[in-house]
Amino acid sequence: MPVYNIIQAVNDALRIEMRKNGNIVVLGEDVGNFGGVFRATSGLQEEFGKERVMDTPLAEAGIIGSAIGMALYGLRPVAEIQFSDFIFPAFDQIVNELAKFRYRSGGEYPAPMVIRTPYGGGIRGGHYHSQSPEAYFAHTPGLKIVIPSSPYDAKGLLLSAMREEDPILFMEPKRIYRAARGEVPEGEYTIPIGQAKVVRPGKGVTVLCYGAMLHTVLEAVEKQGAGDFDPEVIDLRTLVPLDTETILESVRKTGRVVIVYEAPKTCGFGAELSAIIAEKALLHLEAPIARVAGLDTPFPYTLEMEYLPSPERVAKAIAETARF
Amino acid sequence: MTQVALPPGAIVADKAPPPFSILDYEGNLRPDIDPSLVPDIPDADCLRLYREFIKLRLIDDRYLKLQRQGRLGFYMQSTGEEATQLGVAYALKQSDWIYPSYREPGIAFFRGYSIHDFTNQLFGNAEDPVKGRQMPVHHSFRAGNFVSISSPVGTQIPQAVGTARAAQILKHDTVVSVFFGEGTTSPGDFHVGLNFAGVWKAPVIFVCRNNGWAISTPLALQTASPSIAHKALGYGFPGLLVDGNDILAMISATRTAAARARAGEGPTLIEALTYRRAAHSSSDDPSVYRKGKDDEVREWERRDPVARFSRYLERKGILTPAIDAKYREELTEEISAALKHVETVGTPPLISLIEDVYAQPTAQLREQLAELLTMPRQKLGHG
């Protein structure tokens, strides 16, 4: 079985689906001739031509707006936003248009499409190449949000995303784009949207995370002593629709929860997770829910590793929650 | 004012030409018009178009009154702008796509949208095609390739370009036409959309209904460009300045734009010069900001698109008072029937609250609805 990084896995998924489904088109800035600034669409224009792999003018609202029009007409666009920090010029198109089209037209005009975008810090990118804006979009009914943490998941989830009937925001953790490597089966396989994965079973503390933070959590468990508390590590994989069952089942078992996300702490996705657990499993809790998150600041350049949750901070939170 | 000399290489926009117009205000063919530009329209089609004109007028009058009586929550008229809509509707094929803004109901009607569906939409009832989810006048008519209307202005422009690009990629013959007002030439989506269209040579026709007013804001506060049509030049395709109250000119200009699109020559921007004679919406009061502009309003009433077309048809012997009376009677009856019918239709079922958010409701949505179903219904307003 080949060993891929996440970029190669994404590329493989795109190639497989484009071969299978002639309606899939890729569009974005620098995705064609250059193959994307992260090389995720490398070689696709060579194989599928300039009409199916389009280098667009430099305007995110145009990329998403035109992709919506393509989706309404019957194509299956996979639009790339080069960095999720640059998604905001397209915010209106995503939040007011894409997310609402099926609903506002009484089901007459669905717009199934995928928006791929790299997100997250730890790459010396400063505040405009490091943000994690998932919570803005999780607050918008009509979108589904998928965030893989491994090459295997990236390929299986992206293949699913391209076959979904709903618009998908597919956020790729660029910090581990190349660092996360693993065996990826050749050919097609899918991982269902909306299913979390228990990465490490345990009985002591439930640790909820997604994307690059899974690797920070695993380092806390494997190298910073948090493994002593028998944590159950859950990779959410899909934020919307959320796999509430898997989360609650774990919380009922452990009674203790640590949530790790790299976005600013306040109103981050971890706040929603905390609320759900408080609503549905309060009497099972034996300790306060802990959140390890980014600071409520713009994303810093020089001190980014201090801003980001570290394995040590995660290990401390797990230990404190376990001992409470 | 000082005149600073510009260096070589300077590019300056020319003054706008007079708009392309075929019919004068009395409904006569203008004497200087090139006969090859006068569209040849069979008599039956002329009458069909005339009936659509009357339909829009009667509906606007009746539904605004209903709103004033408190029976309808909100309404937007297109009075005075009928030729702009119907000219494009007639010049295109049913298979061509329309991205409307909120002042083109005439195109939906022309393509078969019924007065019943139109009325049900306004009332947001159980038979509303969009299931009571949008304010009045936000129609969607898939069978007529008439795309769901959004309130934020201009978002439809890049979408229309994407649809045109899709048709181009799929080698379909489809042309896409997208409508917006002159105020909508200010936000970014207009410029993004036109730029993408120019680069892609997309088969799209941009139709700007320049009706002079964006709620209270006049054209002069919207742009410093000599015309809206000029803006096309910056994106590499032609702009046409057209008399939007002259249906023959609108048909002719749209046919030219559609021929360009189908021949692979790319987009065209049509600036249809017209006038918003009514308020922006039933919530608006132009007497506040159009004070002292009675002459302006009267001048545009003189250019009335319905009167110009009807005089033209009368002179050609196509339209008679008897036909006119018959249409008015039939349409009035149809409108009355639709309004009577809505009184018998209830609100959409509660399940529709969670349908169509996604292809299938999520577990979270089903749970939220189940909780709601245990509670008494809340009344609109307070106390």
Side-chain angles (χ1 to χ4, degrees):
Chain A
M1 208 181 293
V3 172
Y4 284 161
N5 61 30
I6 291 179
I7 293 165
Q8 292 166 321
V10 165
N11 188 271
D12 192 30
L14 289 169
R15 194 181 301 274
I16 287 170
E17 198 62 8
M18 290 186 82
R19 281 178 185 164
K20 185 172 171 172
N21 180 352
N23 285 331
I24 302 271
V25 293
V26 166
L27 70 162
E29 294 157 14
D30 309 305
V31 300
N33 191 25
F34 184 41
V37 296
F38 290 101
R39 324 292 300 128
T41 53
S42 180
L44 296 181
Q45 193 179 68
E46 273 170 21
E47 179 170 347
F48 301 104
K50 287 182 180 173
E51 292 212 314
R52 290 189 65 196
V53 186
M54 290 170 257
D55 282 318
T56 65
L58 206 165
E60 287 77 10
I63 295 168
I64 302 303
S66 63
I68 292 170
M70 292 175 194
L72 295 177
Y73 193 74
L75 292 181
R76 283 293 181 119
V78 181
E80 178 178 301
I81 298 295
Q82 201 163 78
F83 285 81
S84 65
D85 311 76
F86 307 145
I87 205 166
F88 300 104
F91 199 66
D92 191 34
Q93 286 288 351
I94 297 171
V95 166
N96 267 333
E97 299 292 320
L98 179 60
K100 294 175 174 58
F101 241 111
R102 182 193 289 275
Y103 183 81
R104 82 172 198 218
S105 65
E108 284 196 338
Y109 283 102
M113 58 178 264
V114 179
I115 301 171
R116 292 181 40 248
T117 187
Y119 84 96
I123 57 135
R124 308 291 287 162
H127 34 248
Y128 299 126
H129 298 79
S130 304
Q131 296 174 79
S132 299
E134 65 274 13
Y136 294 116
F137 298 101
H139 195 59
T140 301
L143 301 175
K144 290 182 173 174
I145 303 176
V146 177
I147 306 183
S149 64
S150 70
Y152 178 84
D153 282 0
K155 180 174 170 181
L157 287 167
L158 184 55
L159 280 166
S160 289
M162 289 186 279
R163 297 169 189 183
E164 274 276 318
E165 294 305 314
D166 296 308
I168 307 267
L169 182 61
F170 194 85
M171 300 180 68
E172 300 168 1
K174 62 180 171 294
R175 182 183 179 183
I176 54 166
Y177 249 162
R178 293 187 179 82
R181 295 177 61 80
E183 289 193 335
V184 172
E186 287 181 66
E188 58 176 287
Y189 64 92
T190 56
I191 296 172
I193 308 284
Q195 274 186 18
K197 178 182 179 183
V198 179
V199 176
R200 182 197 188 278
K203 297 194 178 77
V205 182
T206 299
V207 184
L208 303 175
C209 58
Y210 49 90
M213 283 298 105
L214 172 69
H215 300 267
T216 301
V217 168
L218 291 178
E219 203 179 321
V221 171
E222 287 156 14
K223 295 184 184 160
Q224 297 296 331
D228 296 349
F229 303 99
D230 193 18
E232 175 149 288
V233 179
I234 296 178
D235 177 3
L236 299 180
R237 299 200 294 195
T238 301
L239 303 193
V240 182
L242 186 65
D243 182 356
T244 316
E245 274 319 297
T246 298
I247 295 168
L248 292 176
E249 197 180 310
S250 176
V251 173
R252 288 187 196 109
K253 179 171 65 180
T254 64
R256 297 165 196 275
V257 186
V258 174
I259 303 166
V260 185
Y261 55 104
E262 61 178 284
K265 186 172 187 179
T266 299
C267 289
F269 196 71
E272 180 62 28
L273 294 170
S274 303
I276 290 170
I277 293 163
E279 280 173 359
K280 309 251 181 194
L282 185 69
L283 297 180
H284 294 272
L285 289 180
E286 294 177 39
I289 299 167
R291 283 183 288 163
V292 184
L295 307 183
D296 286 337
T297 67
F299 197 98
Y301 178 65
T302 304
L303 298 180
E304 69 172 327
M305 296 315 290
E306 284 67 29
Y307 168 97
L308 286 167
S310 63
E312 292 83 355
R313 270 173 72 196
V314 173
K316 180 166 175 271
I318 292 173
E320 285 176 0
T321 303
R323 290 183 183 129
F324 184 86
Chain B
M1 204 173 91
T2 55
Q3 280 267 337
V4 178
L6 299 170
I11 297 168
V12 179
D14 291 332
K15 211 169 137 255
F20 170 46
S21 184
I22 294 175
L23 287 178
D24 69 13
Y25 303 153
E26 304 308 316
N28 299 304
L29 291 181
R30 292 185 188 275
D32 54 343
I33 197 74
D34 172 355
S36 72
L37 293 174
V38 180
D40 184 23
I41 309 171
D43 291 0
D45 287 0
C46 285
L47 287 175
R48 181 181 169 202
L49 283 168
Y50 180 72
R51 196 175 189 277
E52 294 300 325
F53 268 113
I54 298 301
K55 188 190 286 181
L56 288 168
R57 245 340 122 82
L58 290 175
I59 284 178
D60 267 2
D61 289 349
R62 186 82 173 265
Y63 288 51
L64 185 72
K65 282 195 192 99
L66 279 183
Q67 195 281 333
R68 294 299 186 232
Q69 291 162 2
R71 286 181 61 198
L72 181 59
F74 176 83
Y75 191 66
M76 293 180 100
Q77 298 167 271
S78 61
T79 304
E81 301 178 41
E82 294 91 343
T84 305
Q85 312 165 46
L86 292 173
V88 175
Y90 184 70
L92 297 181
K93 300 180 192 172
Q94 181 90 2
S95 54
D96 294 329
W97 276 45
I98 301 291
Y99 277 82
S101 89
Y102 39 68
R103 239 183 273 283
E104 295 83 22
I107 302 181
F109 284 136
F110 189 82
R111 292 178 166 216
Y113 196 50
S114 70
I115 293 177
H116 267 280
D117 282 346
F118 179 89
T119 307
N120 287 326
Q121 196 286 327
L122 298 182
F123 282 80
N125 62 24
E127 293 179 13
D128 170 6
V130 302
K131 306 184 187 175
R133 292 180 181 143
Q134 288 233 70
M135 283 177 76
V137 309
H138 291 63
H139 303 279
S140 177
F141 180 44
R142 178 110 210 186
N145 293 318
F146 184 89
V147 177
S148 159
I149 298 168
S150 181
S151 302
V153 298
T155 49
Q156 72 276 25
I157 299 173
Q159 293 164 8
V161 175
T163 295
R165 176 67 167 149
Q168 188 182 49
I169 290 169
L170 294 167
K171 314 246 181 304
H172 292 179
D173 193 37
T174 310
V175 167
V176 181
S177 180
V178 54
F179 284 78
F180 46 90
E182 83 290 345
T184 299
T185 64
S186 294
D189 274 343
F190 169 80
H191 301 276
V192 163
L194 267 69
N195 188 49
F196 272 56
V199 171
W200 282 339
K201 277 187 173 282
V204 59
I205 306 170
F206 301 100
V207 184
C208 176
R209 277 181 301 91
N210 178 357
N211 66 14
W213 294 88
I215 304 188
S216 71
T217 307
L219 178 67
L221 294 183
Q222 211 65 249
T223 182
S225 184
S227 75
I228 300 294
H230 270 84
K231 291 174 189 273
L233 302 183
Y235 303 107
F237 53 86
L240 311 181
L241 191 53
V242 182
D243 179 345
N245 282 13
D246 174 358
I247 188 164
L248 298 186
M250 282 303 299
I251 291 170
S252 181
T254 308
R255 280 182 173 170
T256 302
R260 277 174 42 75
R262 288 191 223 280
E265 291 178 23
T268 307
L269 168 61
I270 293 176
E271 175 181 359
L273 275 170
T274 182
Y275 191 75
R276 202 196 76 213
R277 274 157 51 184
H280 166 71
S281 75
S282 58
S283 308
D284 175 35
D285 177 10
S287 72
V288 177
Y289 53 80
R290 281 211 297 226
K291 214 176 280 174
K293 300 254 182 201
D294 294 353
D295 287 353
E296 181 179 293
V297 177
R298 265 196 297 276
E299 171 56 23
W300 281 94
E301 281 169 0
R302 199 167 75 82
R303 304 177 188 182
D304 183 61
V306 185
R308 283 163 77 180
F309 191 50
S310 68
R311 283 178 199 142
Y312 172 70
L313 296 184
E314 280 161 14
R315 259 188 217 108
K316 287 186 79 170
I318 299 169
L319 180 66
T320 63
I323 293 173
D324 179 63
K326 178 168 152 280
Y327 286 171
R328 286 174 193 275
E329 192 183 328
E330 285 169 2
L331 289 163
T332 304
E333 259 175 47
E334 241 184 281
I335 294 166
S336 298
L339 288 172
K340 203 168 168 201
H341 179 72
V342 290
E343 287 174 11
T344 68
V345 185
T347 55
L350 288 180
I351 180 87
S352 73
L353 275 170
I354 66 162
E355 287 171 336
D356 303 322
V357 180
Y358 299 98
Q360 299 298 329
T362 59
Q364 286 79 1
L365 285 175
R366 288 197 304 271
E367 184 186 316
Q368 289 169 18
L369 180 68
E371 191 190 342
L372 198 65
L373 291 176
T374 66
M375 302 301 297
R377 302 280 290 266
Q378 184 176 211
K379 295 263 183 292
L380 189 65
H382 297 278

